[in-house]
Amino acid sequence: MDMKQDMVMMKDGKMMMMKNGEMMPMEMDMTMSDGTKVMMNGMVMMKDGTNRMMMDGEAMTMDGKMTKMDDMSKNM
């Protein structure tokens, strides 16, 4: 996974957004292209209706794929 790819992530207990390679605070709830919803507090409603909280170091791409930030750095 490319760190320049657009995604949202939980970093130090705050939801952040990576857009065009630039990190910024997440400013609104988002719906990913697969229908997964990510709230500003880190709650994720999966497309199947299940909920979970994003943990520190987790990231989700705009197509709804969940990953860990340390996995991304291995692919750089």
Side-chain angles (χ1 to χ4, degrees), residues 17-69:
M17 181 173 182
M18 177 76 73
K19 186 142 178 89
N20 300 323
E22 189 176 325
M23 180 103 58
M24 61 194 81
M26 192 171 148
E27 296 179 347
M28 66 176 83
D29 296 345
M30 300 181 71
T31 302
M32 304 308 177
S33 62
D34 72 343
T36 300
K37 294 180 182 172
V38 182
M39 281 40 124
M40 290 177 49
N41 65 359
M43 183 61 69
V44 177
M45 183 184 295
M46 308 303 264
K47 59 185 175 182
D48 65 6
T50 58
N51 291 321
R52 70 179 298 267
M53 193 71 167
M54 284 185 77
M55 305 303 290
D56 210 52
E58 287 185 324
M60 181 176 283
T61 58
M62 295 300 160
D63 60 2
K65 291 190 172 83
M66 187 74 83
T67 189
K68 292 228 177 233
M69 291 187 337

Side-chain angles (χ1 to χ4, degrees), residues 7-9 11 14-18 23-26:
M7 65 186 75
V8 294
M9 66 197 75
K11 182 171 173 29
K14 295 181 182 138
M15 287 302 293
M16 304 295 287
M17 181 173 182
M18 177 76 73
M23 180 103 58
M24 61 194 81
M26 192 171 148

